Amino acid sequence: MKLSINDKILNFAGNLYSQGVIDHRRFVFSSKDNCKGRILVLKHGHIKNIQKYIRDAKLKGIKGIVTENSISKNDINYNLPILKISNLSMKLNSFLDNIYSYPTKDMIKIGVTGTNGKTSTCHFIAQFLSKIFPRKNIGVITSDGNGVYPNLSSTNRTTPENHRLYREYDKMRRKNVRILIVECSSQGLYQGRLNSHSFDISILTNITRDHIEYHKSDANYVKSKMLLLQMTTKYIFVNQSLKSLEIENNRAKKIFFKDSLTQKSIDEPRIPRDLLIKLANTFDQCSTKRRDRSLSQLKQIPGRYQLVRGNRGEIFLIDYAHTSSSFLDICKYAKSYLKASLPRMKLLIIFGCGGDRDKEKRITMASHAKKYADYIIVTDDNPRSEDPKKITYQITDILKSQNNFEIIHNRKAAIRRSLDFARDKHMILLLGKGNESKIIYKDKETYHNDVKYVESLIK
């Protein structure tokens, strides 16, 4: 009988350990981890990188290697037990599920994907369900942090790597999480980080152009998003603007929700009311009265359409907007608000664009800013490996026909400069970072949080 990948790895481990339980404590998935006496599992990678990882792990006392690459003992010059597993990357989650004893099997699992609004949707759902079911722990995995809501720890990835994801699941099981909400990025889905998952509920917020530098085409991007819907068993919630989208899933019920976000005033949160109402209706224990009361108690998500008012009349509107479509949406929103409520005020926009990402949006964002702003400050926003001056040049090349902008690379200095305008009848629209806490320059990370810095200046 042909052995499964799980059986092959467990048999390999069993031969290395004469006694004791074979579970996740016997394995590591990075040479940076504590390797002593453990088995290093490595997905497919460049052979020179794999050799380096094995060398590093050997120095730390690794006991054996499981890899997708073809490696001989001559390649690494060590007498280490090696197990080669074909297609390991695609099957890794099945193995992780096994060695962690299926940590999410008793949880209701909700996956959220889309171009814009993924994080805020996850947080509104967590906040909403925690009010409806106050005795149930709600687990959250998003770009804003992981943990039992609202006590989240910071993270570097929207959808963590496979082994880190299961480590989070294991923590949540030990904290008695009953509902799990996972933000599912297109890259995470494409790379198989959510393979072998089964979601009870999935939500598609919207689809517009994004991450073209990674997916290479719009079709590939959409295909990655659709993977979440295909692994859903009960309910698929889709923005009604995407009714024509072909969904290859006949098991789950399709429910379409309105795109409009409701709020009583600009100081109140913009709530995906229709989605939350329809989501609540899928839970038998949720009465209409409890649902409506919970909706009325929802609070603003930090860094998402967040209004910060100062002691001297300053008004800052802070948002994560980092796609062309979300950038345009908040520009329209701010201009509409000023026209209706504060017609004498002007609009100043502070923004930049990330390095090593879709360069086309530098042009489109600049065009949107040029149309809606009375004044613009171009600043840095995660230049990464690119020269910040090159990025700002590409932005200002679109703005140069209008003499209403300046460049201030230091983001804190740019915000301080905007105070002169904020105290002279300008609303400040601060875009691109939201509640993030760092700016990335090459290999250096500089601490910065737009929300906290603005509050420190004006309150």
Side-chain angles (χ1 to χ4, degrees), residues 28-33 41-44 53 89 92-93 96 100 141-142 146 155-169 182-183 185 187-189 191-195 197:
V28 291
F29 299 83
S30 169
S31 59
K32 295 178 181 179
D33 291 338
V41 180
L42 293 170
K43 296 192 293 183
H44 182 74
Y53 299 151
S89 297
L92 184 57
N93 280 355
L96 287 163
Y100 275 99
I141 294 177
T142 76
N146 306 329
T155 180
N156 292 323
R157 297 274 180 98
T158 299
T159 308
E161 293 178 356
N162 308 66
H163 64 285
R164 299 185 191 280
L165 196 59
Y166 273 85
R167 195 179 298 166
E168 292 296 331
Y169 294 164
V182 181
E183 181 178 352
S185 68
Q187 297 101 314
L189 286 160
Q191 292 170 10
R193 295 180 193 174
L194 294 164
N195 283 357
H197 279 55

mmCIF file of all heavy atoms in Angstrom, residues 28-33 41-44 53 89 92-93 96 100 141-142 146 155-169 182-183 185 187-189 191-195 197:
data_model
loop_
_atom_site.group_PDB
_atom_site.id
_atom_site.type_symbol
_atom_site.label_atom_id
_atom_site.label_comp_id
_atom_site.label_asym_id
_atom_site.label_seq_id
_atom_site.Cartn_x
_atom_site.Cartn_y
_atom_site.Cartn_z
ATOM 1 N N VAL A 28 10.905 21.550 13.239
ATOM 2 C CA VAL A 28 11.059 22.995 13.021
ATOM 3 C C VAL A 28 10.986 23.237 11.513
ATOM 4 O O VAL A 28 11.223 22.332 10.706
ATOM 5 C CB VAL A 28 12.381 23.550 13.592
ATOM 6 C CG1 VAL A 28 12.378 23.517 15.103
ATOM 7 C CG2 VAL A 28 13.591 22.812 13.026
ATOM 8 N N PHE A 29 10.688 24.472 11.141
ATOM 9 C CA PHE A 29 10.463 24.786 9.726
ATOM 10 C C PHE A 29 11.339 25.938 9.258
ATOM 11 O O PHE A 29 11.165 26.449 8.157
ATOM 12 C CB PHE A 29 8.984 25.098 9.510
ATOM 13 C CG PHE A 29 8.099 23.936 9.847
ATOM 14 C CD1 PHE A 29 7.714 23.693 11.171
ATOM 15 C CD2 PHE A 29 7.700 23.039 8.878
ATOM 16 C CE1 PHE A 29 6.924 22.604 11.498
ATOM 17 C CE2 PHE A 29 6.922 21.939 9.196
ATOM 18 C CZ PHE A 29 6.525 21.715 10.511
ATOM 19 N N SER A 30 12.281 26.322 10.114
ATOM 20 C CA SER A 30 13.255 27.357 9.763
ATOM 21 C C SER A 30 14.542 27.081 10.517
ATOM 22 O O SER A 30 14.511 26.703 11.694
ATOM 23 C CB SER A 30 12.720 28.742 10.134
ATOM 24 O OG SER A 30 13.740 29.717 10.037
ATOM 25 N N SER A 31 15.659 27.275 9.846
ATOM 26 C CA SER A 31 16.964 27.066 10.499
ATOM 27 C C SER A 31 17.238 28.118 11.567
ATOM 28 O O SER A 31 18.169 27.984 12.356
ATOM 29 C CB SER A 31 18.078 27.081 9.445
ATOM 30 O OG SER A 31 18.093 28.313 8.744
ATOM 31 N N LYS A 32 16.414 29.169 11.609
ATOM 32 C CA LYS A 32 16.563 30.204 12.631
ATOM 33 C C LYS A 32 15.964 29.768 13.973
ATOM 34 O O LYS A 32 16.237 30.381 14.998
ATOM 35 C CB LYS A 32 15.893 31.498 12.173
ATOM 36 C CG LYS A 32 16.554 32.133 10.952
ATOM 37 C CD LYS A 32 15.806 33.400 10.519
ATOM 38 C CE LYS A 32 16.458 34.009 9.290
ATOM 39 N NZ LYS A 32 15.737 35.225 8.828
ATOM 40 N N ASP A 33 15.122 28.719 13.934
ATOM 41 C CA ASP A 33 14.467 28.258 15.155
ATOM 42 C C ASP A 33 15.413 27.391 15.994
ATOM 43 O O ASP A 33 16.539 27.098 15.589
ATOM 44 C CB ASP A 33 13.202 27.470 14.805
ATOM 45 C CG ASP A 33 12.119 28.366 14.220
ATOM 46 O OD1 ASP A 33 12.173 29.583 14.457
ATOM 47 O OD2 ASP A 33 11.234 27.850 13.514
ATOM 48 N N VAL A 41 12.095 20.759 8.480
ATOM 49 C CA VAL A 41 11.256 20.556 7.291
ATOM 50 C C VAL A 41 11.393 21.783 6.397
ATOM 51 O O VAL A 41 11.110 22.908 6.811
ATOM 52 C CB VAL A 41 9.772 20.349 7.680
ATOM 53 C CG1 VAL A 41 8.915 20.135 6.443
ATOM 54 C CG2 VAL A 41 9.631 19.177 8.654
ATOM 55 N N LEU A 42 11.841 21.562 5.154
ATOM 56 C CA LEU A 42 12.108 22.666 4.233
ATOM 57 C C LEU A 42 11.302 22.509 2.951
ATOM 58 O O LEU A 42 11.418 21.484 2.252
ATOM 59 C CB LEU A 42 13.599 22.718 3.883
ATOM 60 C CG LEU A 42 14.563 23.077 5.029
ATOM 61 C CD1 LEU A 42 15.995 22.856 4.586
ATOM 62 C CD2 LEU A 42 14.359 24.512 5.465
ATOM 63 N N LYS A 43 10.505 23.527 2.636
ATOM 64 C CA LYS A 43 9.792 23.538 1.353
ATOM 65 C C LYS A 43 10.783 23.785 0.221
ATOM 66 O O LYS A 43 11.946 24.081 0.439
ATOM 67 C CB LYS A 43 8.701 24.619 1.357
ATOM 68 C CG LYS A 43 7.601 24.376 2.358
ATOM 69 C CD LYS A 43 6.416 25.305 2.122
ATOM 70 C CE LYS A 43 6.748 26.756 2.398
ATOM 71 N NZ LYS A 43 5.566 27.642 2.240
ATOM 72 N N HIS A 44 10.288 23.716 -1.003
ATOM 73 C CA HIS A 44 11.146 23.893 -2.177
ATOM 74 C C HIS A 44 11.804 25.269 -2.166
ATOM 75 O O HIS A 44 11.187 26.276 -1.820
ATOM 76 C CB HIS A 44 10.322 23.741 -3.459
ATOM 77 C CG HIS A 44 11.145 23.874 -4.703
ATOM 78 N ND1 HIS A 44 11.994 22.878 -5.124
ATOM 79 C CD2 HIS A 44 11.257 24.900 -5.595
ATOM 80 C CE1 HIS A 44 12.589 23.269 -6.242
ATOM 81 N NE2 HIS A 44 12.168 24.498 -6.546
ATOM 82 N N TYR A 53 20.705 26.688 4.800
ATOM 83 C CA TYR A 53 19.791 26.432 5.917
ATOM 84 C C TYR A 53 20.197 25.151 6.657
ATOM 85 O O TYR A 53 20.171 25.100 7.898
ATOM 86 C CB TYR A 53 18.355 26.287 5.413
ATOM 87 C CG TYR A 53 17.803 27.515 4.716
ATOM 88 C CD1 TYR A 53 16.827 27.391 3.730
ATOM 89 C CD2 TYR A 53 18.262 28.798 5.035
ATOM 90 C CE1 TYR A 53 16.319 28.505 3.073
ATOM 91 C CE2 TYR A 53 17.751 29.909 4.392
ATOM 92 C CZ TYR A 53 16.784 29.762 3.409
ATOM 93 O OH TYR A 53 16.279 30.856 2.758
ATOM 94 N N SER A 89 5.362 21.204 -0.597
ATOM 95 C CA SER A 89 4.773 22.534 -0.396
ATOM 96 C C SER A 89 3.252 22.500 -0.465
ATOM 97 O O SER A 89 2.563 23.165 0.308
ATOM 98 C CB SER A 89 5.314 23.515 -1.447
ATOM 99 O OG SER A 89 6.705 23.675 -1.317
ATOM 100 N N LEU A 92 1.874 20.449 2.754
ATOM 101 C CA LEU A 92 2.425 20.759 4.072
ATOM 102 C C LEU A 92 1.337 20.984 5.122
ATOM 103 O O LEU A 92 1.468 20.531 6.268
ATOM 104 C CB LEU A 92 3.334 21.985 3.993
ATOM 105 C CG LEU A 92 4.052 22.386 5.276
ATOM 106 C CD1 LEU A 92 4.890 21.236 5.820
ATOM 107 C CD2 LEU A 92 4.929 23.616 5.043
ATOM 108 N N ASN A 93 0.258 21.669 4.753
ATOM 109 C CA ASN A 93 -0.792 21.949 5.743
ATOM 110 C C ASN A 93 -1.469 20.690 6.244
ATOM 111 O O ASN A 93 -1.892 20.612 7.400
ATOM 112 C CB ASN A 93 -1.836 22.907 5.156
ATOM 113 C CG ASN A 93 -1.367 24.347 5.198
ATOM 114 O OD1 ASN A 93 -0.317 24.642 5.745
ATOM 115 N ND2 ASN A 93 -2.138 25.247 4.614
ATOM 116 N N LEU A 96 0.850 19.507 8.863
ATOM 117 C CA LEU A 96 0.765 20.368 10.043
ATOM 118 C C LEU A 96 -0.516 20.115 10.821
ATOM 119 O O LEU A 96 -0.521 20.072 12.053
ATOM 120 C CB LEU A 96 0.852 21.837 9.620
ATOM 121 C CG LEU A 96 2.237 22.317 9.180
ATOM 122 C CD1 LEU A 96 2.136 23.631 8.398
ATOM 123 C CD2 LEU A 96 3.152 22.501 10.379
ATOM 124 N N TYR A 100 -0.345 18.827 14.733
ATOM 125 C CA TYR A 100 -0.960 19.711 15.726
ATOM 126 C C TYR A 100 -2.327 19.187 16.187
ATOM 127 O O TYR A 100 -3.041 19.863 16.915
ATOM 128 C CB TYR A 100 -1.124 21.120 15.162
ATOM 129 C CG TYR A 100 0.115 21.985 15.301
ATOM 130 C CD1 TYR A 100 0.988 22.161 14.228
ATOM 131 C CD2 TYR A 100 0.415 22.623 16.497
ATOM 132 C CE1 TYR A 100 2.119 22.961 14.344
ATOM 133 C CE2 TYR A 100 1.537 23.424 16.629
ATOM 134 C CZ TYR A 100 2.392 23.583 15.548
ATOM 135 O OH TYR A 100 3.505 24.373 15.681
ATOM 136 N N ILE A 141 -6.743 36.514 12.774
ATOM 137 C CA ILE A 141 -5.438 36.530 12.109
ATOM 138 C C ILE A 141 -5.533 37.535 10.973
ATOM 139 O O ILE A 141 -6.185 37.282 9.956
ATOM 140 C CB ILE A 141 -5.051 35.131 11.586
ATOM 141 C CG1 ILE A 141 -4.838 34.172 12.762
ATOM 142 C CG2 ILE A 141 -3.797 35.205 10.718
ATOM 143 C CD1 ILE A 141 -4.526 32.757 12.367
ATOM 144 N N THR A 142 -4.928 38.713 11.150
ATOM 145 C CA THR A 142 -4.992 39.778 10.148
ATOM 146 C C THR A 142 -3.650 40.501 10.076
ATOM 147 O O THR A 142 -2.766 40.270 10.891
ATOM 148 C CB THR A 142 -6.074 40.835 10.492
ATOM 149 O OG1 THR A 142 -5.590 41.679 11.553
ATOM 150 C CG2 THR A 142 -7.375 40.215 10.909
ATOM 151 N N ASN A 146 -2.468 39.177 15.382
ATOM 152 C CA ASN A 146 -3.053 37.856 15.624
ATOM 153 C C ASN A 146 -3.357 37.669 17.105
ATOM 154 O O ASN A 146 -2.656 38.208 17.956
ATOM 155 C CB ASN A 146 -2.085 36.749 15.193
ATOM 156 C CG ASN A 146 -1.611 36.901 13.761
ATOM 157 O OD1 ASN A 146 -2.324 37.411 12.908
ATOM 158 N ND2 ASN A 146 -0.387 36.461 13.500
ATOM 159 N N THR A 155 2.211 41.358 13.726
ATOM 160 C CA THR A 155 2.613 40.334 12.767
ATOM 161 C C THR A 155 3.283 40.994 11.578
ATOM 162 O O THR A 155 3.060 42.178 11.306
ATOM 163 C CB THR A 155 1.405 39.507 12.303
ATOM 164 O OG1 THR A 155 1.832 38.510 11.369
ATOM 165 C CG2 THR A 155 0.367 40.397 11.611
ATOM 166 N N ASN A 156 4.089 40.223 10.835
ATOM 167 C CA ASN A 156 4.767 40.761 9.651
ATOM 168 C C ASN A 156 4.045 40.401 8.356
ATOM 169 O O ASN A 156 4.341 40.965 7.308
ATOM 170 C CB ASN A 156 6.206 40.225 9.575
ATOM 171 C CG ASN A 156 7.074 40.772 10.682
ATOM 172 O OD1 ASN A 156 6.942 41.929 11.065
ATOM 173 N ND2 ASN A 156 7.956 39.938 11.214
ATOM 174 N N ARG A 157 3.132 39.471 8.407
ATOM 175 C CA ARG A 157 2.449 39.011 7.203
ATOM 176 C C ARG A 157 0.944 39.040 7.409
ATOM 177 O O ARG A 157 0.451 38.778 8.498
ATOM 178 C CB ARG A 157 2.856 37.566 6.878
ATOM 179 C CG ARG A 157 4.342 37.381 6.562
ATOM 180 C CD ARG A 157 4.625 37.653 5.100
ATOM 181 N NE ARG A 157 6.035 37.489 4.779
ATOM 182 C CZ ARG A 157 6.563 36.384 4.243
ATOM 183 N NH1 ARG A 157 5.783 35.334 4.027
ATOM 184 N NH2 ARG A 157 7.842 36.321 3.943
ATOM 185 N N THR A 158 0.199 39.340 6.328
ATOM 186 C CA THR A 158 -1.260 39.267 6.409
ATOM 187 C C THR A 158 -1.679 37.829 6.700
ATOM 188 O O THR A 158 -2.374 37.548 7.675
ATOM 189 C CB THR A 158 -1.900 39.741 5.084
ATOM 190 O OG1 THR A 158 -1.517 41.087 4.853
ATOM 191 C CG2 THR A 158 -3.413 39.656 5.161
ATOM 192 N N THR A 159 -1.260 36.913 5.837
ATOM 193 C CA THR A 159 -1.493 35.487 6.061
ATOM 194 C C THR A 159 -0.140 34.846 6.369
ATOM 195 O O THR A 159 0.700 34.730 5.478
ATOM 196 C CB THR A 159 -2.108 34.818 4.815
ATOM 197 O OG1 THR A 159 -3.257 35.559 4.397
ATOM 198 C CG2 THR A 159 -2.517 33.380 5.125
ATOM 199 N N PRO A 160 0.113 34.445 7.619
ATOM 200 C CA PRO A 160 1.439 33.934 7.993
ATOM 201 C C PRO A 160 1.827 32.687 7.202
ATOM 202 O O PRO A 160 0.977 32.002 6.612
ATOM 203 C CB PRO A 160 1.276 33.598 9.483
ATOM 204 C CG PRO A 160 0.112 34.410 9.940
ATOM 205 C CD PRO A 160 -0.811 34.494 8.767
ATOM 206 N N GLU A 161 3.122 32.386 7.205
ATOM 207 C CA GLU A 161 3.606 31.154 6.582
ATOM 208 C C GLU A 161 2.977 29.951 7.282
ATOM 209 O O GLU A 161 2.585 30.025 8.438
ATOM 210 C CB GLU A 161 5.126 31.092 6.655
ATOM 211 C CG GLU A 161 5.797 32.163 5.813
ATOM 212 C CD GLU A 161 7.310 32.117 5.930
ATOM 213 O OE1 GLU A 161 7.820 31.294 6.728
ATOM 214 O OE2 GLU A 161 7.973 32.896 5.232
ATOM 215 N N ASN A 162 2.933 28.833 6.562
ATOM 216 C CA ASN A 162 2.181 27.652 7.017
ATOM 217 C C ASN A 162 2.440 27.285 8.472
ATOM 218 O O ASN A 162 1.495 27.146 9.268
ATOM 219 C CB ASN A 162 2.519 26.455 6.124
ATOM 220 C CG ASN A 162 2.352 26.737 4.649
ATOM 221 O OD1 ASN A 162 3.082 27.555 4.095
ATOM 222 N ND2 ASN A 162 1.417 26.075 4.011
ATOM 223 N N HIS A 163 3.707 27.108 8.834
ATOM 224 C CA HIS A 163 4.010 26.629 10.194
ATOM 225 C C HIS A 163 3.675 27.674 11.247
ATOM 226 O O HIS A 163 3.256 27.338 12.358
ATOM 227 C CB HIS A 163 5.476 26.211 10.298
ATOM 228 C CG HIS A 163 6.468 27.300 10.095
ATOM 229 N ND1 HIS A 163 6.758 27.826 8.849
ATOM 230 C CD2 HIS A 163 7.261 27.980 10.979
ATOM 231 C CE1 HIS A 163 7.672 28.755 8.974
ATOM 232 N NE2 HIS A 163 7.986 28.883 10.255
ATOM 233 N N ARG A 164 3.823 28.958 10.904
ATOM 234 C CA ARG A 164 3.451 30.016 11.846
ATOM 235 C C ARG A 164 1.935 30.100 12.002
ATOM 236 O O ARG A 164 1.416 30.391 13.085
ATOM 237 C CB ARG A 164 4.008 31.364 11.378
ATOM 238 C CG ARG A 164 5.519 31.381 11.286
ATOM 239 C CD ARG A 164 6.040 32.767 10.944
ATOM 240 N NE ARG A 164 7.460 32.720 10.611
ATOM 241 C CZ ARG A 164 8.440 32.670 11.493
ATOM 242 N NH1 ARG A 164 8.161 32.655 12.784
ATOM 243 N NH2 ARG A 164 9.701 32.633 11.104
ATOM 244 N N LEU A 165 1.236 29.838 10.924
ATOM 245 C CA LEU A 165 -0.225 29.837 10.954
ATOM 246 C C LEU A 165 -0.729 28.769 11.921
ATOM 247 O O LEU A 165 -1.600 29.035 12.772
ATOM 248 C CB LEU A 165 -0.747 29.572 9.541
ATOM 249 C CG LEU A 165 -2.208 29.870 9.222
ATOM 250 C CD1 LEU A 165 -2.550 31.322 9.470
ATOM 251 C CD2 LEU A 165 -2.503 29.507 7.770
ATOM 252 N N TYR A 166 -0.151 27.574 11.829
ATOM 253 C CA TYR A 166 -0.601 26.491 12.712
ATOM 254 C C TYR A 166 -0.153 26.708 14.153
ATOM 255 O O TYR A 166 -0.831 26.255 15.082
ATOM 256 C CB TYR A 166 -0.120 25.136 12.173
ATOM 257 C CG TYR A 166 -1.115 24.579 11.182
ATOM 258 C CD1 TYR A 166 -1.071 24.958 9.849
ATOM 259 C CD2 TYR A 166 -2.141 23.741 11.590
ATOM 260 C CE1 TYR A 166 -2.004 24.492 8.947
ATOM 261 C CE2 TYR A 166 -3.083 23.269 10.696
ATOM 262 C CZ TYR A 166 -3.011 23.655 9.379
ATOM 263 O OH TYR A 166 -3.949 23.194 8.488
ATOM 264 N N ARG A 167 0.940 27.416 14.329
ATOM 265 C CA ARG A 167 1.351 27.769 15.685
ATOM 266 C C ARG A 167 0.303 28.694 16.322
ATOM 267 O O ARG A 167 -0.030 28.557 17.498
ATOM 268 C CB ARG A 167 2.721 28.459 15.646
ATOM 269 C CG ARG A 167 3.416 28.563 16.997
ATOM 270 C CD ARG A 167 4.759 29.245 16.840
ATOM 271 N NE ARG A 167 5.655 28.495 15.977
ATOM 272 C CZ ARG A 167 6.782 29.002 15.464
ATOM 273 N NH1 ARG A 167 7.124 30.246 15.733
ATOM 274 N NH2 ARG A 167 7.550 28.255 14.695
ATOM 275 N N GLU A 168 -0.224 29.629 15.506
ATOM 276 C CA GLU A 168 -1.285 30.521 15.988
ATOM 277 C C GLU A 168 -2.555 29.730 16.288
ATOM 278 O O GLU A 168 -3.227 29.965 17.299
ATOM 279 C CB GLU A 168 -1.581 31.609 14.951
ATOM 280 C CG GLU A 168 -0.470 32.623 14.752
ATOM 281 C CD GLU A 168 -0.197 33.453 15.984
ATOM 282 O OE1 GLU A 168 -1.126 33.674 16.794
ATOM 283 O OE2 GLU A 168 0.965 33.879 16.162
ATOM 284 N N TYR A 169 -2.898 28.805 15.411
ATOM 285 C CA TYR A 169 -4.088 27.974 15.638
ATOM 286 C C TYR A 169 -3.976 27.214 16.956
ATOM 287 O O TYR A 169 -4.953 27.107 17.714
ATOM 288 C CB TYR A 169 -4.266 26.954 14.505
ATOM 289 C CG TYR A 169 -4.587 27.518 13.152
ATOM 290 C CD1 TYR A 169 -4.437 26.732 11.997
ATOM 291 C CD2 TYR A 169 -5.066 28.812 12.992
ATOM 292 C CE1 TYR A 169 -4.745 27.226 10.755
ATOM 293 C CE2 TYR A 169 -5.364 29.313 11.742
ATOM 294 C CZ TYR A 169 -5.201 28.516 10.618
ATOM 295 O OH TYR A 169 -5.509 28.995 9.371
ATOM 296 N N VAL A 182 -9.927 34.704 9.577
ATOM 297 C CA VAL A 182 -8.617 34.743 8.927
ATOM 298 C C VAL A 182 -8.665 35.684 7.727
ATOM 299 O O VAL A 182 -9.501 35.522 6.836
ATOM 300 C CB VAL A 182 -8.177 33.341 8.459
ATOM 301 C CG1 VAL A 182 -6.790 33.406 7.816
ATOM 302 C CG2 VAL A 182 -8.186 32.348 9.618
ATOM 303 N N GLU A 183 -7.772 36.668 7.720
ATOM 304 C CA GLU A 183 -7.616 37.535 6.548
ATOM 305 C C GLU A 183 -6.749 36.790 5.533
ATOM 306 O O GLU A 183 -5.616 36.408 5.842
ATOM 307 C CB GLU A 183 -6.962 38.859 6.950
ATOM 308 C CG GLU A 183 -6.800 39.823 5.793
ATOM 309 C CD GLU A 183 -6.192 41.150 6.215
ATOM 310 O OE1 GLU A 183 -6.039 41.390 7.431
ATOM 311 O OE2 GLU A 183 -5.865 41.949 5.316
ATOM 312 N N SER A 185 -4.804 36.831 2.120
ATOM 313 C CA SER A 185 -4.220 37.636 1.045
ATOM 314 C C SER A 185 -4.112 36.812 -0.235
ATOM 315 O O SER A 185 -4.055 35.579 -0.196
ATOM 316 C CB SER A 185 -2.835 38.138 1.453
ATOM 317 O OG SER A 185 -1.921 37.053 1.541
ATOM 318 N N GLN A 187 -1.529 36.622 -2.154
ATOM 319 C CA GLN A 187 -0.238 35.928 -2.159
ATOM 320 C C GLN A 187 -0.281 34.687 -1.276
ATOM 321 O O GLN A 187 0.220 33.629 -1.643
ATOM 322 C CB GLN A 187 0.881 36.854 -1.675
ATOM 323 C CG GLN A 187 1.122 38.061 -2.558
ATOM 324 C CD GLN A 187 0.497 39.300 -1.967
ATOM 325 O OE1 GLN A 187 -0.657 39.256 -1.519
ATOM 326 N NE2 GLN A 187 1.221 40.401 -1.967
ATOM 327 N N GLY A 188 -0.884 34.829 -0.092
ATOM 328 C CA GLY A 188 -0.992 33.691 0.820
ATOM 329 C C GLY A 188 -1.782 32.550 0.214
ATOM 330 O O GLY A 188 -1.411 31.371 0.352
ATOM 331 N N LEU A 189 -2.866 32.880 -0.474
ATOM 332 C CA LEU A 189 -3.677 31.855 -1.128
ATOM 333 C C LEU A 189 -2.896 31.198 -2.255
ATOM 334 O O LEU A 189 -2.870 29.967 -2.375
ATOM 335 C CB LEU A 189 -4.970 32.473 -1.660
ATOM 336 C CG LEU A 189 -6.019 32.827 -0.606
ATOM 337 C CD1 LEU A 189 -7.022 33.842 -1.141
ATOM 338 C CD2 LEU A 189 -6.746 31.574 -0.124
ATOM 339 N N GLN A 191 0.330 30.982 -2.683
ATOM 340 C CA GLN A 191 1.491 30.225 -2.208
ATOM 341 C C GLN A 191 1.120 28.973 -1.420
ATOM 342 O O GLN A 191 1.992 28.248 -0.965
ATOM 343 C CB GLN A 191 2.368 31.139 -1.343
ATOM 344 C CG GLN A 191 3.044 32.245 -2.124
ATOM 345 C CD GLN A 191 3.710 33.273 -1.224
ATOM 346 O OE1 GLN A 191 3.833 33.073 -0.016
ATOM 347 N NE2 GLN A 191 4.122 34.389 -1.801
ATOM 348 N N GLY A 192 -0.176 28.729 -1.258
ATOM 349 C CA GLY A 192 -0.613 27.497 -0.606
ATOM 350 C C GLY A 192 -0.591 27.545 0.904
ATOM 351 O O GLY A 192 -0.654 26.498 1.557
ATOM 352 N N ARG A 193 -0.522 28.732 1.487
ATOM 353 C CA ARG A 193 -0.499 28.814 2.953
ATOM 354 C C ARG A 193 -1.822 28.376 3.570
ATOM 355 O O ARG A 193 -1.877 28.042 4.753
ATOM 356 C CB ARG A 193 -0.173 30.243 3.394
ATOM 357 C CG ARG A 193 1.218 30.688 2.994
ATOM 358 C CD ARG A 193 1.501 32.095 3.440
ATOM 359 N NE ARG A 193 2.701 32.597 2.793
ATOM 360 C CZ ARG A 193 3.157 33.838 2.896
ATOM 361 N NH1 ARG A 193 2.495 34.699 3.656
ATOM 362 N NH2 ARG A 193 4.247 34.212 2.264
ATOM 363 N N LEU A 194 -2.889 28.388 2.764
ATOM 364 C CA LEU A 194 -4.206 27.980 3.270
ATOM 365 C C LEU A 194 -4.691 26.685 2.624
ATOM 366 O O LEU A 194 -5.862 26.327 2.742
ATOM 367 C CB LEU A 194 -5.215 29.113 3.041
ATOM 368 C CG LEU A 194 -4.924 30.376 3.855
ATOM 369 C CD1 LEU A 194 -5.707 31.568 3.312
ATOM 370 C CD2 LEU A 194 -5.245 30.168 5.319
ATOM 371 N N ASN A 195 -3.792 25.989 1.954
ATOM 372 C CA ASN A 195 -4.155 24.682 1.393
ATOM 373 C C ASN A 195 -4.685 23.756 2.493
ATOM 374 O O ASN A 195 -4.296 23.877 3.658
ATOM 375 C CB ASN A 195 -2.932 24.016 0.748
ATOM 376 C CG ASN A 195 -2.616 24.615 -0.601
ATOM 377 O OD1 ASN A 195 -3.315 25.485 -1.092
ATOM 378 N ND2 ASN A 195 -1.538 24.141 -1.218
ATOM 379 N N HIS A 197 -7.371 23.764 3.941
ATOM 380 C CA HIS A 197 -8.296 24.408 4.859
ATOM 381 C C HIS A 197 -9.739 24.205 4.390
ATOM 382 O O HIS A 197 -10.008 24.044 3.206
ATOM 383 C CB HIS A 197 -8.029 25.913 4.950
ATOM 384 C CG HIS A 197 -6.896 26.263 5.855
ATOM 385 N ND1 HIS A 197 -5.626 25.742 5.717
ATOM 386 C CD2 HIS A 197 -6.825 27.110 6.918
ATOM 387 C CE1 HIS A 197 -4.838 26.244 6.650
ATOM 388 N NE2 HIS A 197 -5.537 27.075 7.395
#
